[in-house]
Amino acid sequence: MKRKDLILNLIGEISNYLLDENPMRLVVSLHQEEDGLHLCILDDNKHTEEEVETMRKALNSRKRPELAEYYGAMTGHDMLGSARLDLLGWQIKHSDVTQSDSGIKIDLWFGGERFQSDKFTIPDKE
Amino acid sequence: MEFSKSNIISFFLIFMILLFAVTAFVVDGRDALSGLGAVQHNPARLINDFFEIGGIGGALLNAAASGLVALVLIYVCGVSFSGPTFAAVFTIMGFGLFGKTPLNILPIILGVYLSARLVGKGLRDYLIIALFGTALGPLISVIALESGLPLWLGITAGVVSGTAAGFILPSLAVAMLHMHQGYSLYNMGLTCGFLGLFAASLLKAAGLPFDKALAWHEGGSTFLPLLIPLVSLLLIGTGIIHSGKKAISDFVNIQKHPGRLPSDFVDMEGTGGALVNAGVIGLAGSAIVYFTGSDFSGPVIGGLMTIMGFATFGTNLRNSWSVVLGVIVCALLFSMKLSDPGVILAIIFCTTLGPLAGQFGYLTGFLAGFLHLVMVSQTGSWQGGMNLYNNGFAGGLTASIFIAVIQWYRNNKSDM
């Protein structure tokens, strides 16, 4: 998939998810490198701890190449019904979901086979 | 070896293959082998019940061999045993009772592999498409055995055609997925049906008559009606032993999911709950077959195995019942017998539309089931019976029209 299409689809799916709760502010920030990219998305809604945990679980689901290549084509595309973060989770290298007083912040790191995580300041896993 | 989620699923699949192989010899002795041979020489178009073609033993052996091919592929590709792969092996084994053979599925898989290589991917990336794409197996058998070509030339043409079909499948599968947005579980049925339309038109233009095929095993066996209920109870037992009480709570949670593709219940809720769901769906399906008075033929048992497989990948009781009711009401309204082959298969396979009911409500599910039966009675002849997932084809078309209307309504009804 072309990088531009991929970025559009990723932004589409994550925005679809957050817009379901009708935030008054939604910020999408993109940082690209040669073989990877970092998306940061912020909204101004309060999310329950249970919802945040569900998001973390979906975005950090185990890698499923057999599903990502086929059903991953629906990411950010087929939006009738609930948004599905697991479609993103199968495709990303790492994600962080943090909640502050002003809203939620979702960091997503994507990359190819030569993806160098040190260029993207991904937090060390505990 | 670790008693992991993957292992319990792969163990159960290995057990199923062994169960079918051993039962084949117990039922038919050495005749099972000659029955297996007879099945390989059948064009395998819908509906050719292999119980009639090769005997119960031959058909079971063919199903076991087809399932083994799928199982080996999953191992070789290093893909995890989870909902989709469980569904794929159960489906391939089920259709090994009425259409798939180890020989007619391989060219399709080869074609998908070549397609993956062309775009720099591996078979692992397209494995689900390759496994479910084997619905076009009869395309190979028909060209090899019914085209009137000398056998060697027919086989060559069949293999080349099957490989070409497999090569196109990944691109088509994604396009078809967008049509119904994941609201028909058997997306490869729609994909293979679409491709089958072109293949059948070409073959009809070349003079192939595509005479109607119907070989259907009727009654006479006390063993066949017990097969699926027994496997279902084993699935429920395995799920409970594996996950304890959590299997029951996971099973309850599974009923809350709409089931839209891709819903891997193994990942979403848990292995035990998914296996219990598969067993319950198998028991419910068997009960319906029993009460309609239908035969436990190869296609019926194959259908039950398919919905049990998909009970780990989208099918549940809550999203299925209204669709099944829609098919039954349609059949009664149009004076069709519920035990007729086409009707009972539609009752079983209409659960492909479960996600519509799961997401948009029971009325939508009911209407979709009603329309599904009307459609499926036509679509088989369109593609010459070469797409084994004819209900998947009709279901995909039905889901697409519902999704188009719902999408149009939601997009155009202003909320600002």
Side-chain angles (χ1 to χ4, degrees):
Chain A
M1 188 184 289
K2 296 281 182 212
R3 175 181 278 235
K4 187 179 121 187
D5 296 337
L6 173 72
I7 295 170
L8 283 172
N9 293 343
L10 299 173
I11 292 175
E13 193 69 37
I14 193 77
S15 305
N16 184 27
Y17 181 85
L18 292 173
L19 286 170
D20 269 347
E21 295 195 21
N22 199 25
M24 298 313 289
R25 186 174 67 98
L26 182 75
V27 179
V28 179
S29 155
L30 169 68
H31 162 215
Q32 293 200 68
E33 289 287 343
E34 193 176 327
D35 199 47
L37 60 96
H38 172 203
L39 268 176
C40 178
I41 304 100
L42 302 109
D43 80 355
D44 63 349
N45 269 342
K46 269 307 261 188
H47 298 262
T48 64
E49 200 48 49
E50 188 186 359
E51 188 191 348
V52 171
E53 198 47 49
T54 307
M55 290 166 73
R56 283 195 188 111
K57 189 182 166 194
L59 288 171
N60 288 300
S61 52
R62 63 196 173 104
K63 298 296 159 270
R64 304 290 298 272
E66 81 280 14
L67 299 182
E69 285 296 334
Y70 177 18
Y71 300 112
M74 298 167 81
T75 311
H77 196 280
D78 301 326
M79 298 201 189
L80 188 62
S82 324
R84 290 159 322 153
L85 294 183
D86 49 355
L87 293 179
L88 292 172
W90 296 330
Q91 301 176 55
I92 61 180
K93 293 286 182 189
H94 183 80
S95 78
D96 270 335
V97 183
T98 48
Q99 180 146 238
S100 67
D101 290 340
S102 56
I104 204 162
K105 175 170 174 266
I106 302 172
D107 287 289
L108 306 171
W109 287 270
F110 299 84
E113 294 302 320
R114 289 166 290 141
F115 178 71
Q116 293 176 300
S117 58
D118 53 326
K119 286 190 178 174
F120 288 88
T121 60
I122 294 177
D124 291 333
K125 284 185 181 170
E126 290 176 10
Chain B
M1 187 183 282
E2 190 190 355
F3 191 62
S4 69
K5 173 170 70 181
S6 275
N7 284 334
I8 192 68
I9 291 176
S10 58
F11 282 155
F12 199 91
L13 293 174
I14 292 167
F15 165 78
M16 280 295 291
I17 290 169
L18 289 175
L19 176 74
F20 271 41
V22 170
T23 309
F25 288 108
V26 170
V27 172
D28 278 352
R30 282 187 183 177
D31 289 345
L33 287 174
S34 53
L36 177 66
V39 162
Q40 311 311 311
H41 292 100
N42 187 271
R45 282 192 293 123
L46 286 176
I47 303 174
N48 268 306
D49 185 344
F50 286 169
F51 286 159
E52 279 296 287
I53 311 294
I56 293 173
L60 288 176
L61 212 49
N62 182 66
S66 303
L68 188 62
V69 171
L71 198 71
V72 168
L73 265 179
I74 296 166
Y75 267 118
V76 169
C77 290
V79 169
S80 62
F81 283 92
S82 195
T85 38
F86 182 83
V89 176
F90 258 61
T91 301
I92 288 178
M93 288 184 71
F95 278 85
L97 301 175
F98 69 114
K100 293 185 185 182
T101 69
L103 299 179
N104 73 16
I105 63 177
L106 286 174
I108 308 278
I109 294 166
L110 174 66
V112 176
Y113 169 73
L114 293 175
S115 178
R117 296 306 301 157
L118 179 73
V119 290
K121 301 180 193 303
L123 182 59
R124 183 178 71 157
D125 298 312
Y126 287 151
L127 185 67
I128 302 298
I129 294 174
L131 292 175
F132 287 114
T134 53
L136 278 175
L139 172 67
I140 291 104
S141 302
V142 163
I143 293 177
L145 302 166
E146 280 191 329
S147 62
L149 295 169
L151 188 60
W152 68 270
L153 192 56
I155 291 174
T156 308
V159 169
V160 170
S161 306
T163 307
F167 190 82
I168 301 169
L169 281 180
S171 53
L172 266 186
V174 171
M176 297 293 119
L177 196 56
H178 290 319
M179 269 176 66
H180 57 78
Q181 301 196 21
Y183 286 101
S184 175
L185 291 174
Y186 310 154
N187 181 54
M188 289 311 296
L190 177 61
T191 307
C192 293
F194 189 77
L195 193 52
L197 277 178
F198 288 88
S201 302
L202 274 171
L203 291 172
K204 282 174 188 171
L208 237 73
F210 281 110
D211 296 326
K212 273 201 170 181
L214 181 62
W216 188 263
H217 184 77
E218 292 177 353
S221 168
T222 48
F223 149 74
L224 290 176
L226 295 176
L227 181 63
I228 294 300
L230 279 175
V231 172
S232 301
L233 291 174
L234 275 172
L235 278 166
I236 294 171
T238 306
I240 291 172
I241 290 168
H242 179 269
S243 304
K245 284 181 185 170
K246 188 175 175 299
I248 305 301
S249 58
D250 287 348
F251 165 73
V252 172
N253 289 335
I254 282 172
Q255 309 310 310
K256 296 172 187 165
H257 291 288
R260 182 185 177 192
L261 280 175
S263 296
D264 184 349
F265 291 155
V266 175
D267 262 12
M268 294 165 89
E269 295 299 339
T271 307
L275 293 179
V276 170
N277 192 47
V280 170
I281 288 287
L283 289 177
S286 301
I288 289 175
V289 173
Y290 178 79
F291 285 119
T292 58
S294 177
D295 305 299
F296 279 83
S297 60
V300 166
I301 291 178
L304 292 173
M305 287 187 68
T306 302
I307 61 171
M308 288 161 74
F310 271 87
T312 64
F313 193 47
T315 299
N316 60 40
L317 286 176
R318 193 181 68 87
N319 72 12
S320 297
W321 72 265
S322 59
V323 187
V324 172
L325 185 66
V327 173
I328 291 174
V329 169
C330 180
L332 295 175
L333 193 70
F334 293 127
S335 306
M336 300 181 200
K337 272 182 72 180
L338 296 181
S339 58
D340 279 351
V343 178
I344 188 62
L345 291 180
I347 290 173
I348 295 169
F349 284 115
C350 71
T351 49
T352 182
L353 292 166
L356 273 179
Q359 186 76 44
F360 304 110
Y362 299 131
L363 180 63
T364 307
F366 176 85
L367 293 173
F370 192 97
L371 192 58
H372 174 77
L373 180 59
V374 178
M375 284 300 292
V376 79
S377 30
Q378 303 299 322
T379 50
S381 60
W382 296 355
Q383 35 91 4
M386 289 193 299
N387 166 32
L388 291 171
Y389 303 161
N390 184 42
N391 272 274
F393 183 29
L397 293 173
T398 306
S400 298
I401 198 166
F402 274 80
I403 291 305
V405 172
I406 296 168
Q407 176 102 60
W408 166 81
Y409 177 74
R410 293 202 175 179
N411 285 355
N412 288 282
K413 187 172 167 251
S414 173
D415 60 353
M416 292 184 81

